[in-house]
Amino acid sequence: MKIIFATSNQHKLKEVKSAAPEGFEIISLKEIGFEGELPETHETIEENSLEKAEYLSNKFNTACFAEDTGLIIDAINGEPGVYSARYAGEYASFHDNVNKVLAKMKVMETRTARFKTVITYYSQGSFVQFEGVTEGIIPLVQIGDNGFGYDPIFIPDGSTKTYAQMTMDEKNLFSHRKKSFDLFANHLKLITV
Ligand code: ITT
């Protein structure tokens, strides 16, 4: 089964390809000839996820899925949350965003946080959403070089490593994205039998 993943983030694309069960082929935006950014104008992860999937589905008149992800840190009122991609500014790098979090978290004793992904599958004008959440903690310093985004500052519960110290397969054992994708894949299996 072929499904289009509406994302301009190549790291997400790689992870979802590695998480997809046998029989699922993930098609990228590049492969369907879309270049550019997807719209993300809302205040919640759910709404942004829907906005991206709906936009692409309407533009190409095809079924597709999109996802929106945020890192939610308790000690700083849920930041960076829905603003995870541009936390340190519109053109901020992953590095800038990580440094901003670490600076804000410097004096915080409570280190709990969670990653949340919401996948939206949009098809013929209707949609369904799948949520994956992984609880964890924010270390005092960044550790590891793998992955992307906030991976160097997130230690999922049940591990002593940050996501950035893990291989992709190891990250998939804990990953918020993988949890939401598994729910989505089950849904697709059910509606296609
Ligand atoms: P698309 O909207 O095109 O999918 P994006 O990078 O803009 O790509 P988001 O709006 O979901 O995606 O941004 C969330 C940001 O959160 C992302 O840019 C990363 O910095 C971070 N992020 C998302 N998933 C992550 C993960 O698994 N590990 C670490 N950081 C992650």
Side-chain angles (χ1 to χ4, degrees), residues 4-193:
I4 298 167
F5 183 16
T7 182
S8 45
N9 183 321
Q10 297 310 304
H11 301 277
K12 286 184 180 178
L13 181 66
K14 250 193 195 168
E15 282 194 10
V16 163
K17 282 188 170 182
S18 81
E22 209 154 296
F24 286 89
E25 190 186 342
I26 308 295
I27 310 292
S28 68
L29 292 183
K30 208 173 157 192
E31 286 168 88
I32 61 163
F34 177 86
E35 278 175 26
E37 290 293 311
L38 296 161
E40 258 184 272
T41 60
H42 294 281
E43 304 280 309
T44 66
I45 290 173
E46 287 78 3
E47 287 171 300
N48 280 339
S49 175
L50 171 59
E51 184 178 23
K52 291 185 260 192
E54 185 174 14
Y55 171 83
L56 207 277
S57 178
N58 288 338
K59 194 173 175 65
F60 284 84
N61 195 21
T62 183
C64 73
F65 75 101
E67 63 108 289
D68 201 60
T69 296
L71 174 63
I72 298 153
I73 304 176
D74 293 321
I76 49 175
N77 303 316
E79 290 179 20
V82 73
Y83 303 108
S84 290
R86 49 216 138 92
Y87 190 45
E90 194 60 38
Y91 302 105
S93 65
F94 291 149
H95 192 68
D96 298 333
N97 289 335
V98 162
N99 283 339
K100 182 169 176 182
V101 167
L102 286 178
K104 282 205 166 192
M105 289 294 290
K106 209 167 179 179
V107 294
M108 303 295 182
E109 278 179 19
T110 303
R111 312 291 304 184
T112 50
R114 66 207 51 81
F115 262 115
K116 172 172 150 179
T117 292
V118 174
I119 286 180
T120 303
Y121 179 56
Y122 198 96
S123 177
Q124 296 177 340
S126 60
F127 71 94
V128 54
Q129 295 191 310
F130 307 92
E131 179 181 301
V133 175
T134 295
E135 301 285 337
I137 56 164
I138 307 294
L140 291 169
V141 293
Q142 49 188 301
I143 318 165
D145 301 312
N146 299 336
F148 71 104
Y150 299 96
D151 280 349
I153 55 164
F154 187 77
I155 303 175
D157 286 356
S159 178
T160 53
K161 293 181 188 175
T162 65
Y163 273 164
Q165 291 175 290
M166 299 180 182
T167 62
M168 207 174 284
D169 285 346
E170 275 178 286
K171 183 177 172 183
N172 278 338
L173 297 175
F174 299 94
S175 163
H176 46 288
R177 178 163 298 103
K178 166 90 169 122
K179 286 174 187 165
S180 62
F181 190 82
D182 282 350
L183 294 172
F184 172 43
N186 281 339
H187 170 79
L188 287 179
K189 278 181 204 158
L190 286 175
I191 62 171
T192 52
V193 284

